[in-house]
Amino acid sequence: MNHLLPPPIHPFPARMAPEIAIEFCRALPQEALVLDPMVGSGTTIRAAIDSGHQAIGIDMDPLAVLISKAWTTPVDSCLFRRRYEEVARNAQVLVNQDLQLPWIDDDIETGEFTERWFGKPQRLALRALAHVLHGRRGPSWDLCRVAFSRIIITKDKGASLARDVSHSRPHISYQSSNFDVISGFERAAETIARRLESEPPRRRATVRLGDARKPKVAAGTVDAVITSPPYLNAIDYLRGHRMSLVWFGYTMKQLREIRGAEVGAERSLRACDQFLADTMHEMGQIDDLPPRLLGMVRRYVRDTRDLGAAIARTLKPGGQALFVVGNSSLKGVFLRNDKAVELAASAAGLTLASRMERELPPNRRYLPPPTGGDGDLNQRMRSEVVMTFKRP
Ligand SMILES: C[S@@+](CC[C@H](N)C(=O)[O-])C[C@H]1O[C@@H](n2cnc3c(N)ncnc32)[C@H](O)[C@@H]1O
């Protein structure tokens, strides 16, 4: 069961269970076009291409795009090995030189961020690597960026002063570090090279930055959508990912804007309509929530409705959509995100074909925000709902 898909090349929180994606892909007609508009680490599109389908992946998070693209693009591993060795050699020479990284050096907030989260020796080496990689395009360069990011986004000690970066819950845990960035980069790159060499992707998926609510995919062209939207208030992907993205040319302001636009973000919406009000009541005891949190639920429902409409538009008549959704809690109020998805899909003209609830294996559970010890709630948050819909 574990080895339905090759091991991932980079950590990612709340990955979809591969068996769900694989089973669904195997049942599709040959050479189907599969879309995941919230592709994350690329589980669904890797399952699709490895099952012989075409696949398109979209995400708002530039790190998700980088990882999923690199995982679904065939590369010449000899070329990648030569590339990462050359990058490491060039960076080593630059470590103590006066380098310009304008998005960091000319932006106080971004500069302070790198100083707060990284020790000086690591910062100098990361700057050198970032300088060598900046502006370089192509699969082997992307893999070098994934290797670079792997040494930062780890559970334990990596190139930063934080722990738990891979769970998107980074917190500063060390005052200084003796982590050797350049050799860490080479080790990470070699791990990736071996993984891709032993199980290369069968073909290339198309992956790009974009918004799932307005995907740039022609209407009526997609055979199947497979996706797992973020749960309301569950994981703040950019909180961890910005630790890498600041080295790839993004300022803190740009990352904040992306973070605020993501579905499931802690942002409020005031304007209401009948659909939003009815759906919110179907989700749980929302009357117990303070106004700010009610606004967050409202925005989540609005975003989910937009997502449902966009997905329905891309599907061919007879096309299918599979959603994997977990539930949330806000201040101890249990919220059924699956209801929001079900009602959004139905409002978009899709019909529910199947619904199944499954227990989350312990390694895939995320930590709900503190709830005041509601045991029943914790129990209910240990499952996820798998729903399939059909476009008539
Ligand atoms: C639960 S994760 C997907 C995990 C993925 N199925 C996997 O196996 O790795 C949800 C993803 O939705 C993305 N996302 C959130 N809002 C988005 C939006 N408006 N458009 C596109 N992607 C979005 C997040 O960046 C995150 O990568």
Side-chain angles (χ1 to χ4, degrees):
M1 194 60 109
N2 226 350
H3 211 64
L4 280 168
L5 280 186
I9 54 172
H10 190 289
F12 199 88
R15 208 179 275 279
M16 184 187 290
E19 61 271 23
I20 297 178
I22 290 272
E23 198 185 313
F24 188 70
C25 283
R26 286 187 182 155
L28 293 173
Q30 276 187 343
E31 287 282 336
L33 176 59
V34 173
L35 166 70
D36 186 345
M38 306 176 117
V39 71
S41 65
T43 311
T44 53
I45 56 171
R46 181 72 199 241
I49 56 172
D50 284 1
S51 309
H53 303 305
Q54 320 248 17
I56 303 176
I58 296 172
D59 207 288
M60 280 190 95
D61 173 352
L63 196 68
V65 170
L66 174 73
I67 299 167
S68 55
K69 191 176 193 173
W71 202 35
T72 55
T73 303
V75 277
D76 173 347
S77 57
C78 295
L79 169 67
F80 171 50
R81 281 205 172 86
R82 280 202 304 278
R83 177 78 76 215
Y84 86 66
E85 284 164 5
E86 175 200 338
V87 167
R89 261 194 320 275
N90 292 347
Q92 192 72 65
V93 174
L94 294 175
V95 168
N96 287 313
Q97 295 196 16
D98 186 17
L99 304 172
Q100 289 303 304
L101 302 180
W103 69 95
I104 294 177
D105 301 333
D106 300 345
D107 182 71
I108 294 174
E109 188 190 10
T110 309
E112 283 178 354
F113 179 86
T114 62
E115 282 169 27
R116 184 162 65 253
W117 289 92
F118 298 90
K120 187 162 181 201
Q122 288 73 36
R123 223 163 51 229
L124 290 176
L126 291 167
R127 286 179 67 88
L129 279 174
H131 191 269
V132 175
L133 293 175
H134 190 59
R136 303 298 198 146
R137 297 278 163 259
S140 63
W141 293 101
D142 280 346
L143 285 173
C144 287
R145 273 185 274 274
V146 176
F148 179 113
S149 180
R150 257 182 84 109
I151 61 174
I152 296 173
I153 308 227
T154 66
K155 181 167 168 4
D156 293 313
K157 198 168 188 173
S160 77
L161 298 173
R163 280 174 60 95
D164 265 344
V165 186
S166 59
H167 294 145
S168 263
R169 293 170 173 261
H171 46 96
I172 299 213
S173 300
Y174 311 101
Q175 303 229 308
S176 63
S177 164
N178 54 9
F179 185 86
D180 182 333
V181 164
I182 307 265
S183 55
F185 165 77
E186 289 179 294
R187 276 196 310 278
E190 186 51 35
T191 303
I192 294 172
R194 293 212 182 119
R195 286 192 186 169
L196 288 174
E197 210 164 41
S198 67
E199 293 176 84
R202 282 177 53 179
R203 53 163 42 159
R204 186 187 187 124
T206 302
V207 186
R208 55 177 176 258
L209 268 179
D211 187 335
R213 294 159 294 187
K214 301 173 239 162
K216 293 203 171 76
V217 176
T221 57
V222 170
D223 294 286
V225 168
I226 316 177
T227 199
S228 47
Y231 316 160
L232 175 61
N233 192 37
I235 294 174
D236 182 350
Y237 298 91
L238 264 297
R239 191 171 158 75
H241 291 178
R242 63 191 181 158
M243 307 271 294
S244 286
L245 290 169
V246 285
W247 301 105
F248 298 158
Y250 290 88
T251 62
M252 293 306 288
K253 180 165 180 284
Q254 289 169 323
L255 294 172
R256 215 170 20 251
E257 280 164 10
I258 298 172
R259 188 178 178 189
E262 290 223 314
V263 172
E266 285 196 26
R267 292 285 193 284
S268 224
L269 176 75
R270 265 164 172 265
C272 201
D273 59 34
Q274 201 57 47
F275 175 85
L276 300 186
D278 293 347
T279 305
M280 286 165 72
H281 275 104
E282 293 276 338
M283 288 173 72
Q285 300 291 331
I286 53 155
D287 295 333
D288 298 343
L289 290 173
R292 190 184 73 82
L293 296 186
L294 259 185
M296 264 174 63
V297 182
R298 196 176 293 123
R299 193 188 119 150
Y300 184 73
V301 174
R302 196 262 330 253
D303 286 348
T304 306
R305 174 174 64 186
D306 292 350
L307 176 67
I311 286 175
R313 206 166 36 243
T314 63
L315 282 175
K316 288 178 180 169
Q320 306 173 60
L322 177 142
F323 289 84
V324 181
V325 200
N327 293 313
S328 298
S329 90
L330 274 188
K331 288 263 180 235
V333 175
F334 177 68
L335 289 173
R336 288 190 56 187
N337 298 324
D338 66 308
K339 264 288 160 203
V341 169
E342 187 187 324
L343 295 174
S346 142
L350 302 178
T351 34
L352 183 65
S354 69
R355 183 183 188 285
M356 192 242 318
E357 193 152 351
R358 44 173 261 152
E359 184 148 338
L360 280 170
N363 63 349
R364 294 197 44 252
R365 288 178 196 156
Y366 67 94
L367 294 173
T371 62
D374 185 336
D376 177 46
L377 177 65
N378 285 333
Q379 189 60 39
R380 289 150 87 193
M381 293 191 58
R382 286 182 186 170
S383 64
E384 64 189 1
V385 178
V386 184
M387 287 177 287
T388 58
F389 298 88
K390 229 181 171 148
R391 181 174 165 191

